[in-house]
Amino acid sequence: MARLMATATCTAFSGVLEATGERVGQRVLLERVGFLAGLSRELTGALVAARWDEASLDVLAAGVDGRGEVLPSKGWMALRRLEWPQAVMPPVGVYVSDRVRRGVEEYAARTLRLALHRRGIVAAVLAAWPADPGRRTDAEWTALRVALPAGVTEAEIRNRTRQVRAYLAEHDCLPAGLCALEGPPQVAGQVLLAAMDRQQVTLVRVDAATARLRVRLPLHAAPATGRDWVWHVIDIRLPATITPDAVLHTPTLRPTPAGRIAVDLPHSRPAPATKPTGHTLALGFDWGVNTLLTGTLGRLTGKGQTRRVVTDGRPLIFDATTISARLHRLRGNREHLAAKRDHHRALADGLGSPHRAWAEHLDRARVLETEHARVCARIRHLNAALA
């Protein structure tokens, strides 16, 4: 059996102080999660900015430390092997435990590793910069595609070309690389609990619909000692998409602009493993907005270590533009009929039964109600056909 990984976003509404049993409402809990998220964002941003240069990204892309040993896959361990976090310290007078620093370093490592993909695209675009940036020749396109990393889309090529062109227009020279082209990435206020151990966070499943998260949160925006970090017990309501046999993994906490505590909860469940032999062709689809379904074919080629999945990149599209436009018009008609029906009912209620126009308004409302029901039935039929 294989494992299928997914992430469900839940909401934390309240908590309990483990030591005293005092109940903490959503407003106070949101404030304390915000304190931790603010510390994480401040330290992560400083660490990313301190290593936002081509030399540091070269080291991270090489994947080995100063002794030639391969860097660990866990980001916080890789940064500590490189001794990068030592240059970034918490503000004076603020106590941050080693476990919280792990989450900060993991967040920074993920941010820098994500930048390596953009860096490779920019390097390829600069290496194959065309004579006319507005229009590449066939030979220039060929040279660019040879230099690009695998899996780069047309949109990424177009966006990076425009970015380099804007830099060229402003500075009258090509940028030296990604770090010259753009500043350090902005980091969000979130807490990666997955990088921390049981001294900072625990997660257990209470029943099929509830999970219990224990996490140490600061009582103040600038906690001075370890006593300012207190265990909070938070019960999380699990959505129906998390099956009873799913295994829960340590989540990520993030306060949202709407005043909600979002809990991004990864979970895994068993899934039948695909047979390793006999399958050479795969078909994948993705839901979309502009096009309902977009798919592509992948073919398994090679043997042993050279096996890989290749695709010609030609999209298979199910375009529902026509039926979607018809549904949009029908919804507009339905709203118009409902508004007229309610208007005639309001007029009849205002006139009262003795008035001679009272029955006329009610008759018109009944006719509009019948037409409204017909349009609703038509919409349901089209939705069913589309599904």
Side-chain angles (χ1 to χ4, degrees):
M1 296 291 288
R3 305 293 298 182
L4 179 64
M5 292 290 300
T7 299
T9 299
C10 312
T11 301
F13 294 102
S14 62
V16 176
L17 296 183
E18 187 177 61
T20 63
E22 177 187 353
R23 188 160 189 85
V24 179
Q26 184 176 14
R27 184 184 62 82
V28 176
L29 186 63
L30 174 65
E31 184 180 53
R32 294 175 181 177
V33 171
F35 293 155
L36 181 54
L39 285 172
S40 174
R41 178 174 53 192
E42 181 181 355
L43 295 176
T44 302
L47 182 53
V48 171
R51 291 298 171 179
W52 190 249
D53 56 76
E54 295 295 333
S56 298
L57 293 182
D58 282 337
V59 172
L60 198 59
V64 294
D65 59 14
R67 296 174 295 181
E69 298 180 1
V70 177
L71 293 176
S73 59
K74 293 184 178 180
W76 68 271
M77 295 178 64
L79 295 195
R80 291 191 176 187
R81 181 81 66 80
L82 297 172
E83 299 182 352
W84 286 0
Q86 297 179 2
V88 177
M89 299 298 294
V92 178
V94 175
Y95 171 79
V96 176
S97 68
D98 181 72
R99 275 73 188 175
V100 175
R101 290 180 63 88
R102 285 186 191 180
V104 168
E105 293 156 9
E106 179 68 27
Y107 193 5
R110 294 184 186 184
T111 303
L112 292 172
R113 281 174 169 171
L114 282 174
L116 295 179
H117 177 70
R118 302 196 305 275
R119 183 171 180 255
I121 299 174
V122 170
V125 170
L126 292 175
W129 189 249
D132 181 9
R135 186 178 183 85
R136 288 185 174 91
T137 64
D138 292 341
E140 290 170 338
W141 271 113
T142 302
L144 175 60
R145 295 193 183 281
V146 170
L148 283 171
V152 177
T153 64
E154 297 289 342
E156 290 176 304
I157 299 173
R158 181 172 60 252
N159 293 339
R160 293 302 164 184
T161 301
R162 290 174 177 172
Q163 190 179 21
V164 174
R165 192 189 309 166
Y167 185 94
L168 180 61
E170 181 179 356
H171 299 87
D172 199 27
C173 65
L174 291 174
L178 177 66
C179 296
L181 192 60
E182 59 185 42
Q186 297 295 317
V187 295
Q190 61 181 9
V191 186
L192 273 63
L193 299 176
M196 307 176 190
D197 61 13
R198 297 178 63 87
Q199 296 188 36
Q200 179 66 30
V201 59
T202 63
L203 178 69
V204 295
R205 187 162 190 166
V206 178
D207 51 39
T210 309
R212 181 160 295 160
L213 177 69
R214 293 175 64 252
V215 59
R216 294 182 66 185
L217 298 176
L219 300 178
H220 315 287
T225 65
R227 290 188 296 272
D228 292 331
W229 293 78
V230 178
W231 283 103
H232 291 67
V233 180
I234 305 170
D235 284 345
I236 302 170
R237 187 72 177 176
L238 302 178
T241 53
I242 301 180
T243 57
D245 61 343
V247 178
L248 305 182
H249 305 280
T250 312
T252 294
L253 296 180
R254 53 183 177 87
T256 68
R260 189 169 64 93
I261 305 172
V263 183
D264 296 328
L265 182 61
H267 58 280
S268 61
R269 58 184 176 86
T274 304
K275 295 181 180 179
T277 59
H279 297 276
T280 59
L281 182 64
L283 174 64
F285 281 103
D286 181 42
W287 292 101
V289 177
N290 296 327
T291 56
L292 184 63
L293 283 175
T294 303
T296 188
L297 290 172
R299 289 177 172 82
L300 184 64
T301 63
K303 295 182 179 181
Q305 297 295 331
T306 63
R307 296 182 67 179
R308 61 195 183 107
V309 177
V310 297
T311 178
D312 58 5
R314 183 180 62 175
L316 308 174
I317 295 173
F318 177 76
D319 191 354
T321 303
T322 303
I323 192 171
S324 297
R326 189 180 304 171
L327 283 169
H328 182 72
R329 290 195 299 269
L330 286 174
R331 293 189 185 104
N333 292 339
R334 178 181 62 184
E335 294 174 2
H336 179 65
L337 291 170
K340 291 182 65 176
R341 177 201 61 195
D342 295 341
H343 178 64
H344 282 290
R345 287 177 177 173
L347 290 176
D349 293 340
L351 294 175
S353 58
H355 200 280
R356 60 182 179 180
W358 173 74
E360 181 180 352
H361 284 301
L362 287 183
D363 290 340
R364 291 181 179 177
R366 279 192 292 269
V367 172
L368 291 169
E369 176 63 26
T370 302
E371 187 62 25
H372 181 270
R374 290 174 180 172
V375 173
C376 289
R378 180 60 176 162
I379 291 175
R380 288 195 298 270
H381 174 74
L382 287 177
N383 280 330
L386 183 59

